Amino acid sequence: MTIFSELSKGMADAVEAASESVVQVRAARPVSGTVVGDGLILTAAHVLPTDDVTVVTAGGVRWGAVVAGRDPATDLALLRVPGLSLPALTVGTAARVGELLLAVGRPPHGVQAALGLYGRGVPTRGPGQGWLPSGAAPFPASSGGALLNAGGGLVGVLNAGVRRGELLAVPAERALRVAALLDSQGRVPRGYLGLSAQPVHFPEADPAAAETGAESGSGPDGPAAHEPRGPWVGGSWAGGPWGHGHRAGRDHERGREGGRGRGLGRGPGGGRGGPWGPRGPWQKGDWQPGGWNQSGWNQGGRVGLTVVQVDPDGPAAQAGVLVGDVLLSLDGTPVRHPHELLERVRDQAGQTVTLRVLRGGQEQDLPVRVGER
C-alpha cells in the first residue's frame, strides 16, 4: 500500500468517525451542526431566524432544539437538545501551514467532506481577522460543520457565509470558549478599554528619545524636528503621517478601539477618504490580506498608539490612562493598530491586563481591568 492510499484511507476513517458528531440543522435552510457537549451543538447563527429548530442525526432521527444563545462576533449559535447523547469531537492540535484539512458537513443527502490545504495562518488583523482558512471549497450546508485535521481532531467550526467563495472556520479553541459562555450565560461578554487611539510612528529606536528629542541630531534644529512625532506636537495633527488638521474630539472618534468610527466604511483602515487623510500608512495598498503592513511608514523605529480620547467612566480612565499617552504594549506584546488592540481585549472581559504607556518621555505600566459590554 502506497503512502497516498494510506493517507486516503486514514482521512476516510476520520470522516466516518466524525460523521456521528456532525448533524443536520433545519431552520431557514439546512445547515450542519457540530456536537461539542452532551446535548450541545454549535452551528452558524446567520441561518437561524427563530429559537426553535430541528436537528437530524446520522440515523435520521429528528430532535427538537432551542437556541441557547448567539454570538455575532463569531456567527456561532449554541443549540440545546434535551435528551440527545452524541459523542463530542475531540479537539485536535492547532493546524499548521501546509497541513491537509477535512471540512465535514451534513447536507440533506447525507454526510459530505471536502479536502483543503491550510495554506496561510489565521490573520491577526485586517480582513478575515481571527478566521481560520480551511482551503476547502464550500458545499451546500457546510456552515456549522466540523473542520478536522488528518487525524480526525477538531480544529474549527465551519462558516461559508463570511466571505464569498471561501469556507472559513472559527478556530476550535475559540469556538469552544464561545460555546461554554453561551451555555452558562446565554451571551458572550465583550471586553473594552474605553479609549480612542491613532497609530504613531517613532523613527528613532527609543520612543522616549523621540518624544523628548534627546537623541543626537533630534533637537529643534535637527532632522527629527521634521519627522512625524505625534498629535501633541504643535497642538495639531498636521505634522503626523495621518493627514492634515485632524484633532481629537467627539466628532472625530475615528480610532475607537478597532478604528470603526465615522468615515470608515471602506475597509479596515477606512480606505480612500478615510478619517486620517491621504498620507497614512494604511493607504496605497498597505492593508494586505494578512493585515496592516507596518512598512507603509517606509521607515524603521517603533509604532505605538496615541490616546486621543478617553471615556471618563471607562476602564482606561479608572486605570489612569490620559489623552496624549502612547500605548506601546499590552501584556508585554506590542500594539500597532487600534484593530489589534480591540481584538486583544475582546475576549478578556473582567480580566486585568497591563498597558505599557509612554508619558512625558517615561515608560510606565498601568494595570487595567477590562470592562464588559
Side-chain angles (χ1 to χ4, degrees):
M1 184 178 290
T2 68
I3 187 172
F4 297 105
S5 59
E6 290 179 356
L7 179 62
S8 176
K9 181 180 182 301
M11 288 187 170
D13 291 342
V15 172
E16 183 177 356
S19 62
E20 188 179 359
S21 303
V22 178
V23 300
Q24 182 189 144
V25 178
R26 294 187 178 180
R29 66 174 186 269
V31 290
S32 299
T34 299
V35 178
V36 294
D38 190 17
L40 299 176
I41 296 170
L42 277 178
T43 189
H46 68 271
V47 296
L48 302 179
T50 69
D51 288 345
D52 295 311
V53 296
T54 300
V55 168
V56 183
T57 64
V61 180
R62 299 189 179 195
W63 296 77
V66 295
V67 178
R70 295 176 171 86
D71 177 38
T74 57
D75 193 29
L76 287 174
L78 182 70
L79 305 181
R80 190 174 286 124
V81 189
L84 179 64
S85 181
L86 292 176
L89 289 172
T90 302
V91 177
T93 56
R96 298 181 301 167
V97 174
E99 186 174 358
L100 291 174
L101 300 177
L102 287 163
V104 181
R106 187 172 290 280
H109 57 73
V111 69
Q112 183 171 339
L115 180 64
L117 175 68
Y118 186 40
R120 57 185 173 87
V122 178
T124 57
R125 61 179 72 94
Q129 178 175 315
W131 291 90
L132 194 160
S134 70
F139 55 87
S142 55
S143 290
L147 183 64
L148 311 175
N149 59 24
L154 179 70
V155 297
V157 177
L158 298 168
N159 195 314
V162 180
R163 188 182 299 165
R164 183 181 296 274
E166 289 191 53
L167 187 56
L168 306 180
V170 181
E173 182 180 352
R174 185 178 185 186
L176 293 181
R177 187 165 60 246
V178 168
L181 289 169
L182 292 178
D183 186 33
S184 61
Q185 303 182 32
R187 57 184 290 271
V188 178
R190 294 300 175 195
Y192 82 106
L193 294 177
L195 59 83
S196 300
Q198 303 273 12
V200 62
H201 174 251
F202 299 96
E204 297 86 352
D206 182 4
E211 187 178 74
T212 61
E215 285 199 354
S216 174
S218 62
D221 298 322
H226 304 290
E227 298 287 357
R229 295 173 57 196
W232 53 86
V233 178
S236 102
W237 294 42
W242 38 78
H244 305 278
H246 293 291
R247 298 178 183 267
R250 299 184 66 86
D251 293 335
H252 292 284
E253 285 188 71
R254 321 284 195 176
R256 178 173 294 275
E257 286 183 37
R260 298 183 67 87
R262 294 187 303 170
L264 283 179
R266 296 180 64 87
R272 180 167 53 85
W276 293 299
R279 297 175 54 197
W282 34 82
Q283 305 296 332
K284 299 181 181 178
D286 292 301
W287 265 100
Q288 303 298 332
W292 178 49
N293 182 7
Q294 183 179 337
S295 65
W297 295 93
N298 295 321
Q299 303 179 67
R302 294 173 65 181
V303 174
L305 297 179
T306 303
V307 177
V308 297
Q309 190 171 7
V310 178
D311 180 354
D313 299 319
Q318 295 175 15
V321 177
L322 303 176
V323 172
D325 285 348
V326 179
L327 308 183
L328 300 176
S329 66
L330 175 70
D331 285 340
T333 303
V335 286
R336 298 179 176 86
H337 196 276
H339 290 285
E340 182 181 0
L341 180 63
L342 173 65
E343 286 303 312
R344 295 269 297 279
V345 302
R346 183 189 296 272
D347 295 328
Q348 300 193 61
Q351 301 181 32
T352 298
V353 298
T354 300
L355 288 176
R356 168 150 289 198
V357 304
L358 176 66
R359 179 186 299 169
Q362 301 293 322
E363 295 185 19
Q364 57 181 290
D365 290 331
L366 297 177
V368 183
R369 185 175 176 84
V370 180
E372 177 184 324
R373 62 182 176 191

